[in-house]
Amino acid sequence: MSKTKGCIIVTGASRGIGAGIAHRLAMAGYDVGCLSRSGERPQLEGVAPEIAARWFEAKCDVSQPDQLAAVFAEIEKRSGSRLVGLVNNAGIHSADKITEISGDEWRKVMDVNAYSVLAASQAIYPYLIKNNGGVIVNIGSFYDKLGVKQHLVYCATKAAVGAMTRCMAVEWAPKNIRVINIGPGYIMTEFNREAMEQGALANYLAKRIPGGKPGQADDVGNLVTKLFELDSPFLTGETIYIDGAHGMLQ
């Protein structure tokens, strides 16, 4: 195996977009700390052994700071390489009528989708300081700028991620830490493939997405990897939408 470029932590890495991100980063020569609630390694088929060897999976509740601190130290030790970045990808969905949203639901989704971004970023901060800087990529959603029926909680958490990105970028820029938010649109994964390929949702996306089809997890993984590879210290605090122009279609 070639020499590593360092280790990047990815939360929610066992499936979906997170697995696509972990795959692309490993292909680019990074070790990847793959955090998930299950502790499973990314569930992808046909991955070359030398790529899978760069994955260091660990079980973690990303809303618990003590667990994050312990797992980050463990992954640095297991990988044998310095922690150079973080991808805050973990998230859960929520869909309820506004009149039916409970306080418990609000707190649960906010903890996973927004508070975990703060907690994990706080956990990676001392490692990036030790390395004289680094990159944090947050995975938000193009729902952060939309008004969507029965999605108040989810939209609110993703809007929070954009705001947190801007605040972290401003406060940590003097430390050479860049923080960037990515806002995916409809991305096909193993969870939603059937719905996106046939039926009402597939018909809707064919009309609403200018290119006529959803994106792939690899699209997001490729963009995330390019942000770590890009030598552009002035690029920070922004939200980059990857939605096939869906969010701007009138």
Side-chain angles (χ1 to χ4, degrees), residues 77-146:
K77 183 177 181 180
R78 285 169 55 196
S79 68
S81 55
R82 59 197 177 97
L83 301 186
V84 298
L86 167 69
V87 181
N88 283 307
N89 168 74
I92 56 177
H93 190 66
S94 176
D96 276 310
K97 293 181 179 179
I98 295 172
T99 54
E100 298 175 2
I101 297 170
S102 68
D104 287 343
E105 176 72 1
W106 172 271
R107 286 184 286 271
K108 180 183 72 173
V109 181
M110 190 63 75
D111 271 355
V112 177
N113 290 7
Y115 176 65
S116 70
V117 172
L118 171 62
S121 298
Q122 288 173 329
I124 201 71
Y125 180 78
Y127 295 95
L128 301 186
I129 291 297
K130 182 171 62 176
N131 295 325
N132 297 314
V135 179
I136 297 172
V137 176
N138 298 325
I139 305 299
S141 169
F142 82 142
Y143 271 26
D144 68 357
K145 61 180 179 178
L146 302 178

Short mmCIF file of all heavy atoms in Angstrom, two decimals, residues 77-146:
data_model
loop_
_atom_site.label_atom_id
_atom_site.label_comp_id
_atom_site.label_asym_id
_atom_site.label_seq_id
_atom_site.Cartn_x
_atom_site.Cartn_y
_atom_site.Cartn_z
N LYS A 77 -4.46 6.03 16.54
CA LYS A 77 -3.52 4.98 16.94
C LYS A 77 -3.57 3.80 15.99
O LYS A 77 -2.53 3.28 15.56
CB LYS A 77 -3.85 4.53 18.36
CG LYS A 77 -2.89 3.49 18.90
CD LYS A 77 -3.23 3.15 20.35
CE LYS A 77 -2.25 2.12 20.91
NZ LYS A 77 -2.58 1.78 22.33
N ARG A 78 -4.78 3.36 15.62
CA ARG A 78 -4.92 2.20 14.73
C ARG A 78 -4.39 2.47 13.34
O ARG A 78 -3.76 1.61 12.71
CB ARG A 78 -6.38 1.77 14.66
CG ARG A 78 -6.90 1.06 15.90
CD ARG A 78 -8.42 0.93 15.85
NE ARG A 78 -8.89 0.27 14.64
CZ ARG A 78 -10.14 0.30 14.20
NH1 ARG A 78 -11.06 0.97 14.90
NH2 ARG A 78 -10.49 -0.33 13.10
N SER A 79 -4.65 3.66 12.82
CA SER A 79 -4.22 3.98 11.45
C SER A 79 -2.73 4.28 11.38
O SER A 79 -2.10 4.08 10.34
CB SER A 79 -5.02 5.17 10.91
OG SER A 79 -4.68 6.37 11.59
N GLY A 80 -2.19 4.79 12.47
CA GLY A 80 -0.78 5.16 12.49
C GLY A 80 -0.49 6.42 11.70
O GLY A 80 0.68 6.71 11.39
N SER A 81 -1.52 7.17 11.35
CA SER A 81 -1.31 8.40 10.60
C SER A 81 -2.05 9.56 11.28
O SER A 81 -3.02 9.36 12.01
CB SER A 81 -1.81 8.25 9.15
OG SER A 81 -3.15 7.84 9.10
N ARG A 82 -1.60 10.77 11.04
CA ARG A 82 -2.16 11.93 11.71
C ARG A 82 -3.55 12.24 11.18
O ARG A 82 -3.84 12.02 9.99
CB ARG A 82 -1.24 13.13 11.52
CG ARG A 82 -0.99 13.51 10.10
CD ARG A 82 0.24 14.41 9.94
NE ARG A 82 0.49 14.68 8.53
CZ ARG A 82 0.08 15.78 7.90
NH1 ARG A 82 -0.57 16.71 8.56
NH2 ARG A 82 0.34 15.95 6.62
N LEU A 83 -4.41 12.76 12.04
CA LEU A 83 -5.75 13.15 11.63
C LEU A 83 -5.68 14.52 10.96
O LEU A 83 -5.27 15.51 11.58
CB LEU A 83 -6.68 13.21 12.84
CG LEU A 83 -6.86 11.92 13.65
CD1 LEU A 83 -7.92 12.11 14.73
CD2 LEU A 83 -7.22 10.75 12.74
N VAL A 84 -6.07 14.58 9.68
CA VAL A 84 -5.92 15.81 8.91
C VAL A 84 -7.25 16.44 8.51
O VAL A 84 -7.28 17.53 7.92
CB VAL A 84 -5.08 15.56 7.64
CG1 VAL A 84 -3.68 15.09 8.01
CG2 VAL A 84 -5.76 14.55 6.72
N GLY A 85 -8.36 15.77 8.82
CA GLY A 85 -9.64 16.35 8.43
C GLY A 85 -10.82 15.57 8.95
O GLY A 85 -10.69 14.49 9.53
N LEU A 86 -11.99 16.14 8.73
CA LEU A 86 -13.25 15.59 9.23
C LEU A 86 -14.35 15.83 8.21
O LEU A 86 -14.42 16.90 7.61
CB LEU A 86 -13.62 16.27 10.55
CG LEU A 86 -15.03 16.07 11.11
CD1 LEU A 86 -15.24 14.62 11.55
CD2 LEU A 86 -15.28 17.04 12.26
N VAL A 87 -15.20 14.82 8.02
CA VAL A 87 -16.42 14.98 7.22
C VAL A 87 -17.61 14.67 8.12
O VAL A 87 -17.80 13.53 8.55
CB VAL A 87 -16.44 14.05 5.99
CG1 VAL A 87 -17.72 14.28 5.18
CG2 VAL A 87 -15.21 14.26 5.12
N ASN A 88 -18.38 15.70 8.42
CA ASN A 88 -19.58 15.54 9.25
C ASN A 88 -20.75 15.15 8.36
O ASN A 88 -21.47 16.01 7.83
CB ASN A 88 -19.89 16.85 9.99
CG ASN A 88 -18.97 17.07 11.17
OD1 ASN A 88 -18.83 16.22 12.03
ND2 ASN A 88 -18.32 18.23 11.20
N ASN A 89 -20.94 13.85 8.19
CA ASN A 89 -21.97 13.35 7.28
C ASN A 89 -23.16 12.72 8.00
O ASN A 89 -24.24 12.64 7.43
CB ASN A 89 -21.33 12.31 6.34
CG ASN A 89 -22.38 11.53 5.57
OD1 ASN A 89 -23.00 12.03 4.63
ND2 ASN A 89 -22.59 10.27 5.96
N ALA A 90 -22.99 12.28 9.23
CA ALA A 90 -24.06 11.57 9.93
C ALA A 90 -25.34 12.40 9.98
O ALA A 90 -25.30 13.61 10.22
CB ALA A 90 -23.62 11.21 11.35
N GLY A 91 -26.47 11.76 9.75
CA GLY A 91 -27.73 12.47 9.80
C GLY A 91 -28.91 11.52 9.73
O GLY A 91 -28.77 10.38 9.29
N ILE A 92 -30.05 11.98 10.18
CA ILE A 92 -31.29 11.21 10.10
C ILE A 92 -32.38 12.08 9.49
O ILE A 92 -32.30 13.30 9.50
CB ILE A 92 -31.74 10.68 11.48
CG1 ILE A 92 -31.90 11.83 12.48
CG2 ILE A 92 -30.76 9.64 11.99
CD1 ILE A 92 -32.41 11.39 13.83
N HIS A 93 -33.38 11.42 8.96
CA HIS A 93 -34.48 12.11 8.29
C HIS A 93 -35.64 12.30 9.25
O HIS A 93 -35.77 11.58 10.25
CB HIS A 93 -34.95 11.31 7.08
CG HIS A 93 -35.89 12.05 6.19
ND1 HIS A 93 -35.52 13.15 5.47
CD2 HIS A 93 -37.21 11.86 5.92
CE1 HIS A 93 -36.55 13.60 4.78
NE2 HIS A 93 -37.60 12.84 5.04
N SER A 94 -36.47 13.28 8.95
CA SER A 94 -37.65 13.53 9.76
C SER A 94 -38.72 14.14 8.88
O SER A 94 -38.44 15.05 8.10
CB SER A 94 -37.33 14.48 10.92
OG SER A 94 -38.50 14.80 11.66
N ALA A 95 -39.95 13.62 8.97
CA ALA A 95 -41.06 14.14 8.18
C ALA A 95 -42.34 14.06 9.00
O ALA A 95 -42.84 12.97 9.26
CB ALA A 95 -41.21 13.35 6.88
N ASP A 96 -42.83 15.21 9.41
CA ASP A 96 -44.06 15.29 10.19
C ASP A 96 -44.77 16.59 9.89
O ASP A 96 -44.14 17.61 9.56
CB ASP A 96 -43.77 15.27 11.70
CG ASP A 96 -43.62 13.85 12.24
OD1 ASP A 96 -44.51 13.03 11.95
OD2 ASP A 96 -42.63 13.58 12.93
N LYS A 97 -46.10 16.59 10.01
CA LYS A 97 -46.84 17.84 9.94
C LYS A 97 -46.40 18.73 11.11
O LYS A 97 -46.11 18.24 12.19
CB LYS A 97 -48.34 17.56 10.03
CG LYS A 97 -48.92 16.82 8.84
CD LYS A 97 -50.41 16.62 9.00
CE LYS A 97 -50.98 15.89 7.80
NZ LYS A 97 -52.45 15.64 7.95
N ILE A 98 -46.38 20.02 10.87
CA ILE A 98 -45.90 20.94 11.90
C ILE A 98 -46.68 20.79 13.20
O ILE A 98 -46.11 20.82 14.29
CB ILE A 98 -45.99 22.40 11.39
CG1 ILE A 98 -45.03 22.61 10.22
CG2 ILE A 98 -45.67 23.39 12.51
CD1 ILE A 98 -45.18 23.94 9.52
N THR A 99 -47.97 20.56 13.09
CA THR A 99 -48.81 20.44 14.29
C THR A 99 -48.56 19.15 15.06
O THR A 99 -49.03 19.00 16.20
CB THR A 99 -50.30 20.51 13.92
OG1 THR A 99 -50.58 19.51 12.91
CG2 THR A 99 -50.66 21.89 13.39
N GLU A 100 -47.81 18.22 14.46
CA GLU A 100 -47.57 16.93 15.10
C GLU A 100 -46.13 16.73 15.55
O GLU A 100 -45.77 15.67 16.06
CB GLU A 100 -47.98 15.80 14.15
CG GLU A 100 -49.47 15.83 13.80
CD GLU A 100 -49.86 14.80 12.75
OE1 GLU A 100 -48.98 14.03 12.32
OE2 GLU A 100 -51.04 14.77 12.37
N ILE A 101 -45.28 17.74 15.38
CA ILE A 101 -43.87 17.61 15.78
C ILE A 101 -43.78 17.66 17.30
O ILE A 101 -44.27 18.60 17.93
CB ILE A 101 -43.02 18.74 15.16
CG1 ILE A 101 -43.03 18.63 13.64
CG2 ILE A 101 -41.58 18.68 15.69
CD1 ILE A 101 -42.43 19.83 12.94
N SER A 102 -43.12 16.68 17.87
CA SER A 102 -42.94 16.63 19.32
C SER A 102 -41.59 17.22 19.71
O SER A 102 -40.67 17.30 18.89
CB SER A 102 -43.04 15.20 19.83
OG SER A 102 -41.92 14.44 19.37
N GLY A 103 -41.48 17.59 20.98
CA GLY A 103 -40.19 18.07 21.47
C GLY A 103 -39.13 17.01 21.40
O GLY A 103 -37.96 17.30 21.10
N ASP A 104 -39.50 15.77 21.65
CA ASP A 104 -38.53 14.67 21.58
C ASP A 104 -38.00 14.49 20.17
O ASP A 104 -36.80 14.25 19.98
CB ASP A 104 -39.18 13.36 22.06
CG ASP A 104 -39.38 13.32 23.57
OD1 ASP A 104 -38.75 14.13 24.27
OD2 ASP A 104 -40.17 12.48 24.03
N GLU A 105 -38.89 14.60 19.17
CA GLU A 105 -38.45 14.47 17.79
C GLU A 105 -37.51 15.61 17.42
O GLU A 105 -36.47 15.40 16.78
CB GLU A 105 -39.67 14.47 16.86
CG GLU A 105 -39.34 14.43 15.36
CD GLU A 105 -38.82 13.08 14.90
OE1 GLU A 105 -38.73 12.14 15.73
OE2 GLU A 105 -38.50 12.95 13.71
N TRP A 106 -37.87 16.82 17.79
CA TRP A 106 -37.01 17.98 17.52
C TRP A 106 -35.61 17.76 18.10
O TRP A 106 -34.61 17.94 17.42
CB TRP A 106 -37.64 19.23 18.09
CG TRP A 106 -36.75 20.44 18.04
CD1 TRP A 106 -35.85 20.84 19.00
CD2 TRP A 106 -36.64 21.38 16.98
NE1 TRP A 106 -35.20 21.98 18.60
CE2 TRP A 106 -35.66 22.35 17.36
CE3 TRP A 106 -37.28 21.53 15.75
CZ2 TRP A 106 -35.31 23.41 16.55
CZ3 TRP A 106 -36.93 22.60 14.93
CH2 TRP A 106 -35.96 23.53 15.33
N ARG A 107 -35.55 17.38 19.37
CA ARG A 107 -34.25 17.22 20.03
C ARG A 107 -33.45 16.07 19.43
O ARG A 107 -32.23 16.18 19.27
CB ARG A 107 -34.47 17.01 21.54
CG ARG A 107 -34.88 18.29 22.28
CD ARG A 107 -35.00 18.07 23.76
NE ARG A 107 -36.20 17.31 24.11
CZ ARG A 107 -37.38 17.87 24.36
NH1 ARG A 107 -37.54 19.17 24.29
NH2 ARG A 107 -38.42 17.11 24.67
N LYS A 108 -34.12 14.97 19.09
CA LYS A 108 -33.41 13.82 18.51
C LYS A 108 -32.76 14.18 17.18
O LYS A 108 -31.56 13.90 16.96
CB LYS A 108 -34.38 12.65 18.31
CG LYS A 108 -33.73 11.41 17.71
CD LYS A 108 -34.75 10.31 17.47
CE LYS A 108 -35.67 10.64 16.31
NZ LYS A 108 -36.56 9.50 15.96
N VAL A 109 -33.53 14.79 16.28
CA VAL A 109 -33.00 15.12 14.96
C VAL A 109 -31.96 16.23 15.05
O VAL A 109 -30.93 16.20 14.36
CB VAL A 109 -34.14 15.51 14.01
CG1 VAL A 109 -33.60 15.82 12.61
CG2 VAL A 109 -35.16 14.38 13.91
N MET A 110 -32.19 17.22 15.91
CA MET A 110 -31.22 18.29 16.08
C MET A 110 -29.90 17.76 16.65
O MET A 110 -28.82 18.19 16.24
CB MET A 110 -31.78 19.38 17.00
CG MET A 110 -30.96 20.65 17.05
SD MET A 110 -30.82 21.53 15.48
CE MET A 110 -32.45 22.28 15.32
N ASP A 111 -29.98 16.80 17.58
CA ASP A 111 -28.76 16.21 18.15
C ASP A 111 -27.92 15.54 17.08
O ASP A 111 -26.70 15.73 17.01
CB ASP A 111 -29.13 15.19 19.23
CG ASP A 111 -29.26 15.80 20.60
OD1 ASP A 111 -28.99 17.01 20.75
OD2 ASP A 111 -29.63 15.07 21.54
N VAL A 112 -28.56 14.72 16.24
CA VAL A 112 -27.81 13.95 15.24
C VAL A 112 -27.37 14.82 14.07
O VAL A 112 -26.23 14.72 13.60
CB VAL A 112 -28.65 12.76 14.73
CG1 VAL A 112 -27.89 12.01 13.63
CG2 VAL A 112 -28.97 11.80 15.87
N ASN A 113 -28.25 15.68 13.59
CA ASN A 113 -27.96 16.44 12.37
C ASN A 113 -27.15 17.71 12.60
O ASN A 113 -26.43 18.15 11.70
CB ASN A 113 -29.27 16.82 11.66
CG ASN A 113 -29.97 15.62 11.05
OD1 ASN A 113 -29.57 14.48 11.24
ND2 ASN A 113 -31.04 15.87 10.32
N ALA A 114 -27.30 18.32 13.77
CA ALA A 114 -26.63 19.61 14.00
C ALA A 114 -25.65 19.57 15.16
O ALA A 114 -24.48 19.93 15.00
CB ALA A 114 -27.69 20.70 14.23
N TYR A 115 -26.09 19.11 16.33
CA TYR A 115 -25.17 19.11 17.47
C TYR A 115 -23.95 18.24 17.21
O TYR A 115 -22.83 18.58 17.62
CB TYR A 115 -25.86 18.65 18.75
CG TYR A 115 -24.89 18.55 19.91
CD1 TYR A 115 -24.27 19.70 20.41
CD2 TYR A 115 -24.55 17.32 20.46
CE1 TYR A 115 -23.34 19.63 21.43
CE2 TYR A 115 -23.62 17.23 21.49
CZ TYR A 115 -23.02 18.39 21.96
OH TYR A 115 -22.09 18.30 22.97
N SER A 116 -24.13 17.13 16.50
CA SER A 116 -23.00 16.26 16.21
C SER A 116 -21.93 16.97 15.39
O SER A 116 -20.74 16.66 15.50
CB SER A 116 -23.46 15.00 15.47
OG SER A 116 -23.87 15.30 14.15
N VAL A 117 -22.34 17.93 14.54
CA VAL A 117 -21.37 18.70 13.76
C VAL A 117 -20.49 19.52 14.69
O VAL A 117 -19.27 19.58 14.52
CB VAL A 117 -22.12 19.61 12.76
CG1 VAL A 117 -21.14 20.57 12.07
CG2 VAL A 117 -22.84 18.77 11.72
N LEU A 118 -21.11 20.14 15.68
CA LEU A 118 -20.35 20.89 16.68
C LEU A 118 -19.44 19.97 17.48
O LEU A 118 -18.24 20.24 17.64
CB LEU A 118 -21.29 21.64 17.62
CG LEU A 118 -20.65 22.30 18.84
CD1 LEU A 118 -19.66 23.37 18.41
CD2 LEU A 118 -21.73 22.88 19.75
N ALA A 119 -20.02 18.88 18.00
CA ALA A 119 -19.25 17.99 18.88
C ALA A 119 -18.06 17.36 18.16
O ALA A 119 -16.95 17.30 18.70
CB ALA A 119 -20.18 16.90 19.44
N ALA A 120 -18.29 16.88 16.93
CA ALA A 120 -17.18 16.25 16.19
C ALA A 120 -16.13 17.27 15.78
O ALA A 120 -14.92 16.98 15.79
CB ALA A 120 -17.73 15.53 14.96
N SER A 121 -16.57 18.49 15.44
CA SER A 121 -15.61 19.54 15.08
C SER A 121 -14.77 19.95 16.28
O SER A 121 -13.56 20.20 16.15
CB SER A 121 -16.35 20.75 14.50
OG SER A 121 -17.04 20.40 13.32
N GLN A 122 -15.40 20.00 17.45
CA GLN A 122 -14.64 20.28 18.67
C GLN A 122 -13.62 19.17 18.93
O GLN A 122 -12.50 19.43 19.38
CB GLN A 122 -15.59 20.41 19.85
CG GLN A 122 -16.42 21.68 19.85
CD GLN A 122 -17.47 21.70 20.94
OE1 GLN A 122 -17.99 20.65 21.34
NE2 GLN A 122 -17.79 22.89 21.44
N ALA A 123 -14.01 17.93 18.64
CA ALA A 123 -13.11 16.80 18.89
C ALA A 123 -11.91 16.79 17.95
O ALA A 123 -10.80 16.41 18.34
CB ALA A 123 -13.89 15.48 18.77
N ILE A 124 -12.12 17.19 16.68
CA ILE A 124 -11.02 17.17 15.72
C ILE A 124 -10.11 18.39 15.86
O ILE A 124 -8.95 18.38 15.43
CB ILE A 124 -11.56 17.09 14.27
CG1 ILE A 124 -10.49 16.55 13.29
CG2 ILE A 124 -12.06 18.44 13.78
CD1 ILE A 124 -10.17 15.11 13.45
N TYR A 125 -10.61 19.46 16.46
CA TYR A 125 -9.90 20.73 16.54
C TYR A 125 -8.47 20.60 17.08
O TYR A 125 -7.52 21.11 16.43
CB TYR A 125 -10.70 21.73 17.37
CG TYR A 125 -10.06 23.08 17.53
CD1 TYR A 125 -10.11 24.02 16.50
CD2 TYR A 125 -9.42 23.44 18.71
CE1 TYR A 125 -9.53 25.27 16.64
CE2 TYR A 125 -8.83 24.69 18.86
CZ TYR A 125 -8.89 25.60 17.83
OH TYR A 125 -8.31 26.84 17.97
N PRO A 126 -8.23 19.95 18.23
CA PRO A 126 -6.85 19.89 18.72
C PRO A 126 -5.90 19.14 17.78
O PRO A 126 -4.71 19.47 17.71
CB PRO A 126 -6.98 19.17 20.07
CG PRO A 126 -8.31 18.50 20.05
CD PRO A 126 -9.17 19.33 19.16
N TYR A 127 -6.42 18.16 17.04
CA TYR A 127 -5.58 17.44 16.07
C TYR A 127 -5.19 18.36 14.92
O TYR A 127 -4.03 18.34 14.46
CB TYR A 127 -6.32 16.22 15.53
CG TYR A 127 -6.61 15.16 16.56
CD1 TYR A 127 -7.83 15.12 17.22
CD2 TYR A 127 -5.66 14.18 16.88
CE1 TYR A 127 -8.10 14.15 18.17
CE2 TYR A 127 -5.92 13.21 17.83
CZ TYR A 127 -7.14 13.19 18.47
OH TYR A 127 -7.41 12.23 19.42
N LEU A 128 -6.12 19.17 14.44
CA LEU A 128 -5.83 20.09 13.35
C LEU A 128 -4.88 21.19 13.80
O LEU A 128 -4.01 21.62 13.03
CB LEU A 128 -7.13 20.67 12.78
CG LEU A 128 -8.15 19.67 12.24
CD1 LEU A 128 -9.32 20.41 11.58
CD2 LEU A 128 -7.51 18.70 11.27
N ILE A 129 -5.04 21.65 15.03
CA ILE A 129 -4.12 22.65 15.57
C ILE A 129 -2.70 22.08 15.62
O ILE A 129 -1.73 22.75 15.24
CB ILE A 129 -4.57 23.10 16.98
CG1 ILE A 129 -5.87 23.92 16.88
CG2 ILE A 129 -3.48 23.91 17.67
CD1 ILE A 129 -5.75 25.20 16.11
N LYS A 130 -2.59 20.84 16.05
CA LYS A 130 -1.29 20.18 16.13
C LYS A 130 -0.65 20.05 14.75
O LYS A 130 0.58 20.11 14.61
CB LYS A 130 -1.45 18.80 16.78
CG LYS A 130 -0.15 18.03 16.97
CD LYS A 130 -0.40 16.77 17.80
CE LYS A 130 -1.36 15.83 17.13
NZ LYS A 130 -1.51 14.55 17.90
N ASN A 131 -1.50 19.93 13.71
CA ASN A 131 -1.01 19.76 12.34
C ASN A 131 -0.94 21.08 11.57
O ASN A 131 -0.76 21.08 10.36
CB ASN A 131 -1.91 18.79 11.58
CG ASN A 131 -1.86 17.39 12.16
OD1 ASN A 131 -0.82 16.94 12.63
ND2 ASN A 131 -2.99 16.70 12.13
N ASN A 132 -1.10 22.20 12.30
CA ASN A 132 -1.04 23.53 11.69
C ASN A 132 -2.15 23.76 10.65
O ASN A 132 -1.96 24.47 9.66
CB ASN A 132 0.33 23.76 11.04
CG ASN A 132 1.44 23.75 12.06
OD1 ASN A 132 1.34 24.36 13.12
ND2 ASN A 132 2.50 23.00 11.77
N GLY A 133 -3.30 23.16 10.88
CA GLY A 133 -4.46 23.40 10.03
C GLY A 133 -5.04 22.14 9.45
O GLY A 133 -4.55 21.04 9.67
N GLY A 134 -6.11 22.31 8.69
CA GLY A 134 -6.78 21.18 8.08
C GLY A 134 -8.13 21.60 7.50
O GLY A 134 -8.42 22.79 7.37
N VAL A 135 -8.94 20.62 7.16
CA VAL A 135 -10.21 20.88 6.50
C VAL A 135 -11.33 20.12 7.19
O VAL A 135 -11.17 18.94 7.55
CB VAL A 135 -10.16 20.47 5.01
CG1 VAL A 135 -11.52 20.72 4.34
CG2 VAL A 135 -9.06 21.21 4.28
N ILE A 136 -12.46 20.79 7.38
CA ILE A 136 -13.68 20.16 7.85
C ILE A 136 -14.74 20.37 6.78
O ILE A 136 -14.97 21.49 6.32
CB ILE A 136 -14.17 20.78 9.18
CG1 ILE A 136 -13.15 20.55 10.29
CG2 ILE A 136 -15.54 20.20 9.58
CD1 ILE A 136 -13.47 21.29 11.58
N VAL A 137 -15.37 19.28 6.35
CA VAL A 137 -16.45 19.36 5.37
C VAL A 137 -17.74 18.88 6.04
O VAL A 137 -17.79 17.77 6.58
CB VAL A 137 -16.17 18.49 4.13
CG1 VAL A 137 -17.37 18.54 3.17
CG2 VAL A 137 -14.91 18.98 3.41
N ASN A 138 -18.74 19.73 6.04
CA ASN A 138 -20.05 19.38 6.59
C ASN A 138 -21.00 19.02 5.46
O ASN A 138 -21.00 19.67 4.41
CB ASN A 138 -20.62 20.55 7.39
CG ASN A 138 -19.74 20.92 8.57
OD1 ASN A 138 -19.13 20.06 9.20
ND2 ASN A 138 -19.68 22.20 8.89
N ILE A 139 -21.80 18.00 5.68
CA ILE A 139 -22.78 17.59 4.68
C ILE A 139 -24.15 18.08 5.12
O ILE A 139 -24.76 17.54 6.05
CB ILE A 139 -22.79 16.06 4.48
CG1 ILE A 139 -21.39 15.55 4.14
CG2 ILE A 139 -23.78 15.69 3.37
CD1 ILE A 139 -20.79 16.12 2.88
N GLY A 140 -24.60 19.14 4.46
CA GLY A 140 -25.91 19.70 4.74
C GLY A 140 -26.94 19.15 3.77
O GLY A 140 -27.02 17.95 3.53
N SER A 141 -27.72 20.05 3.15
CA SER A 141 -28.74 19.64 2.19
C SER A 141 -29.24 20.87 1.47
O SER A 141 -29.27 21.97 2.03
CB SER A 141 -29.91 18.96 2.90
OG SER A 141 -31.01 18.78 2.02
N PHE A 142 -29.69 20.69 0.22
CA PHE A 142 -30.29 21.83 -0.47
C PHE A 142 -31.64 22.19 0.14
O PHE A 142 -32.21 23.23 -0.16
CB PHE A 142 -30.36 21.58 -1.96
CG PHE A 142 -31.51 20.75 -2.48
CD1 PHE A 142 -32.11 21.07 -3.68
CD2 PHE A 142 -31.99 19.62 -1.80
CE1 PHE A 142 -33.16 20.32 -4.20
CE2 PHE A 142 -33.02 18.87 -2.30
CZ PHE A 142 -33.63 19.23 -3.50
N TYR A 143 -32.14 21.36 1.04
CA TYR A 143 -33.36 21.69 1.78
C TYR A 143 -33.12 22.86 2.74
O TYR A 143 -34.08 23.42 3.27
CB TYR A 143 -33.84 20.48 2.59
CG TYR A 143 -34.79 19.57 1.84
CD1 TYR A 143 -34.79 19.49 0.45
CD2 TYR A 143 -35.69 18.76 2.53
CE1 TYR A 143 -35.64 18.64 -0.23
CE2 TYR A 143 -36.56 17.91 1.86
CZ TYR A 143 -36.53 17.85 0.48
OH TYR A 143 -37.40 17.03 -0.19
N ASP A 144 -31.87 23.25 2.95
CA ASP A 144 -31.60 24.35 3.87
C ASP A 144 -32.12 25.69 3.35
O ASP A 144 -32.28 26.65 4.10
CB ASP A 144 -30.10 24.46 4.18
CG ASP A 144 -29.24 24.88 2.99
OD1 ASP A 144 -29.77 25.04 1.87
OD2 ASP A 144 -28.02 25.03 3.18
N LYS A 145 -32.42 25.76 2.05
CA LYS A 145 -32.89 27.01 1.46
C LYS A 145 -34.31 26.90 0.91
O LYS A 145 -34.81 27.82 0.26
CB LYS A 145 -31.95 27.45 0.33
CG LYS A 145 -31.84 26.45 -0.82
CD LYS A 145 -30.90 26.94 -1.91
CE LYS A 145 -30.78 25.92 -3.04
NZ LYS A 145 -29.90 26.40 -4.11
N LEU A 146 -34.96 25.77 1.17
CA LEU A 146 -36.29 25.53 0.63
C LEU A 146 -37.34 25.49 1.73
O LEU A 146 -37.03 25.21 2.90
CB LEU A 146 -36.33 24.19 -0.13
CG LEU A 146 -35.35 24.02 -1.29
CD1 LEU A 146 -35.50 22.63 -1.89
CD2 LEU A 146 -35.57 25.09 -2.35
#
